[in-house]
């Protein structure tokens, strides 16, 4: 049996990357549901702008859920698909009963900070494994989400 997988990576490296990507997937799924909840439940004077912004955010997160799962498959592994698995390994916790706009935005900032930390870890692991596909994906996410954190932080003042 070869130590190289179908896309030319060492199987041990692909195993480690897939495990970490499953952790990232779990965080994306919990964060997605948090953002969806903020969208549904936000109240207050900034309802209209936040309701729209939260929809934009959760739509983007959902696309990334699919991209991360497909990367796991590309590495030759199976993405987790049970919410019970996600809650066990996610750094991001469920954020329930949040209605006030500023608290919702704070939750988004914290969620993005957790994603950024994980994606930087994955970027480093991918670079060490010569996995340009995962590294590029993480770099794209990091660049985009750093800007989002800046904007959300500016909203919070």
């Amino acid at each position: 049996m070869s130590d190289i997988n179908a896309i030319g990576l060492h199987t041990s490296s692909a195993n480690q990357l897939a495990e970490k990507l499953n952790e990232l997937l779990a965080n994306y799924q919990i964060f997605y549901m948090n953002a969806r909840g903020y969208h549904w439940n936000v109240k207050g004077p900034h309802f209209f702008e936040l309701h729209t912004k939260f929809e934009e955010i959760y739509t983007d997160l959902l696309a990334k859920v699919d991209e991360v799962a497909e990367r796991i498959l590309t590495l030759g592994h199976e993405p987790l698909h049970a919410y019970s698995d996600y809650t066990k390994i996610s750094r991001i916790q469920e954020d329930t009963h949040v209605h006030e706009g500023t608290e919702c935005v704070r939750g988004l900032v914290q969620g993005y900070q957790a994603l950024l930390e994980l994606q930087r870890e994955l970027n480093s692991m991918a670079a060490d494994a010569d996995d340009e596909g995962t590294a590029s994906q993480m770099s794209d996410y990091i660049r985009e989400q750093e800007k989002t954190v800046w904007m959300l932080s500016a909203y919070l003042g």
Side-chain angles (χ1 to χ4, degrees), residues 36-108:
R36 191 89 195 213
Y38 301 151
H39 168 76
W40 290 332
N41 296 306
V42 68
K43 293 178 173 42
H46 301 289
F47 169 82
F48 290 105
E49 70 182 282
L50 290 176
H51 184 75
T52 301
K53 186 63 175 174
F54 297 160
E55 182 174 6
E56 175 188 314
I57 287 170
Y58 78 66
T59 300
D60 178 67
L61 293 171
L62 186 58
K64 286 180 173 55
V65 162
D66 194 54
E67 293 167 0
V68 171
E70 288 178 352
R71 187 65 195 166
I72 294 166
L73 289 162
T74 301
L75 291 170
H77 293 270
E78 183 177 331
L80 296 175
H81 60 274
Y83 209 76
S84 57
D85 290 332
Y86 300 148
T87 59
K88 289 176 193 166
I89 64 172
S90 179
R91 297 178 190 182
I92 298 172
Q93 300 300 304
E94 293 175 324
D95 198 8
T96 59
H97 308 293
V98 180
H99 306 283
E100 197 275 315
T102 301
E103 287 303 309
C104 294
V105 173
R106 262 193 211 101
L108 289 173

